[in-house]
Short mmCIF file of all heavy atoms in Angstrom, two decimals:
data_model
loop_
_atom_site.label_atom_id
_atom_site.label_comp_id
_atom_site.label_asym_id
_atom_site.label_seq_id
_atom_site.Cartn_x
_atom_site.Cartn_y
_atom_site.Cartn_z
N ALA A 43 -13.96 4.91 48.28
CA ALA A 43 -14.52 6.25 48.13
C ALA A 43 -15.97 6.18 47.65
O ALA A 43 -16.83 6.91 48.15
CB ALA A 43 -13.68 7.06 47.15
N ILE A 44 -16.26 5.29 46.71
CA ILE A 44 -17.63 5.13 46.22
C ILE A 44 -18.54 4.66 47.36
O ILE A 44 -19.66 5.16 47.52
CB ILE A 44 -17.67 4.13 45.05
CG1 ILE A 44 -17.02 4.76 43.82
CG2 ILE A 44 -19.09 3.69 44.72
CD1 ILE A 44 -16.79 3.80 42.67
N CYS A 45 -18.07 3.71 48.17
CA CYS A 45 -18.87 3.23 49.30
C CYS A 45 -19.10 4.33 50.32
O CYS A 45 -20.19 4.44 50.88
CB CYS A 45 -18.20 2.03 49.96
SG CYS A 45 -18.28 0.55 48.96
N ALA A 46 -18.08 5.15 50.57
CA ALA A 46 -18.24 6.25 51.54
C ALA A 46 -19.28 7.25 51.06
O ALA A 46 -20.14 7.70 51.84
CB ALA A 46 -16.89 6.94 51.76
N VAL A 47 -19.26 7.59 49.78
CA VAL A 47 -20.25 8.51 49.22
C VAL A 47 -21.64 7.89 49.30
O VAL A 47 -22.62 8.58 49.65
CB VAL A 47 -19.88 8.88 47.76
CG1 VAL A 47 -21.01 9.61 47.08
CG2 VAL A 47 -18.61 9.70 47.75
N ALA A 48 -21.77 6.61 49.01
CA ALA A 48 -23.07 5.94 49.08
C ALA A 48 -23.61 5.92 50.50
O ALA A 48 -24.81 6.13 50.72
CB ALA A 48 -22.95 4.52 48.52
N ILE A 49 -22.76 5.69 51.48
CA ILE A 49 -23.20 5.66 52.88
C ILE A 49 -23.66 7.04 53.31
O ILE A 49 -24.70 7.17 53.98
CB ILE A 49 -22.07 5.14 53.78
CG1 ILE A 49 -21.88 3.63 53.55
CG2 ILE A 49 -22.36 5.42 55.25
CD1 ILE A 49 -20.65 3.06 54.23
N VAL A 50 -22.92 8.08 52.95
CA VAL A 50 -23.34 9.45 53.31
C VAL A 50 -24.68 9.78 52.66
O VAL A 50 -25.56 10.34 53.32
CB VAL A 50 -22.26 10.47 52.88
CG1 VAL A 50 -22.77 11.88 52.98
CG2 VAL A 50 -21.01 10.28 53.74
N TYR A 51 -24.87 9.42 51.39
CA TYR A 51 -26.14 9.66 50.72
C TYR A 51 -27.28 8.91 51.40
O TYR A 51 -28.36 9.46 51.62
CB TYR A 51 -26.03 9.23 49.25
CG TYR A 51 -27.34 9.33 48.50
CD1 TYR A 51 -27.83 10.56 48.07
CD2 TYR A 51 -28.11 8.19 48.24
CE1 TYR A 51 -29.03 10.66 47.39
CE2 TYR A 51 -29.30 8.27 47.57
CZ TYR A 51 -29.76 9.51 47.15
OH TYR A 51 -30.95 9.60 46.50
N TRP A 52 -27.04 7.67 51.76
CA TRP A 52 -28.06 6.85 52.41
C TRP A 52 -28.45 7.44 53.76
O TRP A 52 -29.65 7.54 54.08
CB TRP A 52 -27.51 5.43 52.58
CG TRP A 52 -28.45 4.44 53.16
CD1 TRP A 52 -29.82 4.46 53.12
CD2 TRP A 52 -28.10 3.26 53.88
NE1 TRP A 52 -30.32 3.36 53.76
CE2 TRP A 52 -29.28 2.61 54.23
CE3 TRP A 52 -26.90 2.70 54.24
CZ2 TRP A 52 -29.30 1.43 54.96
CZ3 TRP A 52 -26.90 1.50 54.95
CH2 TRP A 52 -28.10 0.89 55.30
N ILE A 53 -27.49 7.87 54.53
CA ILE A 53 -27.79 8.46 55.84
C ILE A 53 -28.57 9.75 55.68
O ILE A 53 -29.51 10.02 56.45
CB ILE A 53 -26.49 8.66 56.64
CG1 ILE A 53 -25.93 7.30 57.03
CG2 ILE A 53 -26.73 9.52 57.87
CD1 ILE A 53 -24.56 7.35 57.67
N LYS A 54 -28.22 10.57 54.68
CA LYS A 54 -28.98 11.81 54.44
C LYS A 54 -30.42 11.51 54.05
O LYS A 54 -31.34 12.20 54.49
CB LYS A 54 -28.30 12.64 53.35
CG LYS A 54 -27.06 13.35 53.84
CD LYS A 54 -26.51 14.27 52.77
CE LYS A 54 -25.32 15.02 53.28
NZ LYS A 54 -24.82 15.99 52.29
N GLN A 55 -30.62 10.50 53.22
CA GLN A 55 -31.98 10.13 52.83
C GLN A 55 -32.77 9.62 54.04
O GLN A 55 -33.96 9.94 54.20
CB GLN A 55 -31.95 9.06 51.73
CG GLN A 55 -31.45 9.57 50.41
CD GLN A 55 -32.35 10.66 49.85
OE1 GLN A 55 -33.56 10.56 49.86
NE2 GLN A 55 -31.73 11.71 49.34
N LEU A 56 -32.13 8.83 54.89
CA LEU A 56 -32.82 8.37 56.10
C LEU A 56 -33.23 9.54 57.00
O LEU A 56 -34.31 9.55 57.57
CB LEU A 56 -31.92 7.41 56.89
CG LEU A 56 -31.74 6.01 56.29
CD1 LEU A 56 -30.72 5.25 57.10
CD2 LEU A 56 -33.05 5.27 56.26
N LYS A 57 -32.34 10.53 57.10
CA LYS A 57 -32.66 11.71 57.92
C LYS A 57 -33.82 12.49 57.33
O LYS A 57 -34.69 12.97 58.07
CB LYS A 57 -31.43 12.59 58.03
CG LYS A 57 -31.60 13.72 59.00
CD LYS A 57 -30.35 14.53 59.18
CE LYS A 57 -30.64 15.59 60.22
NZ LYS A 57 -29.77 16.72 60.12
#
Side-chain angles (χ1 to χ4, degrees):
I44 290 170
C45 288
V47 169
I49 288 171
V50 168
Y51 175 77
W52 183 26
I53 291 172
K54 284 185 177 184
Q55 291 297 316
L56 287 174
K57 187 176 183 203

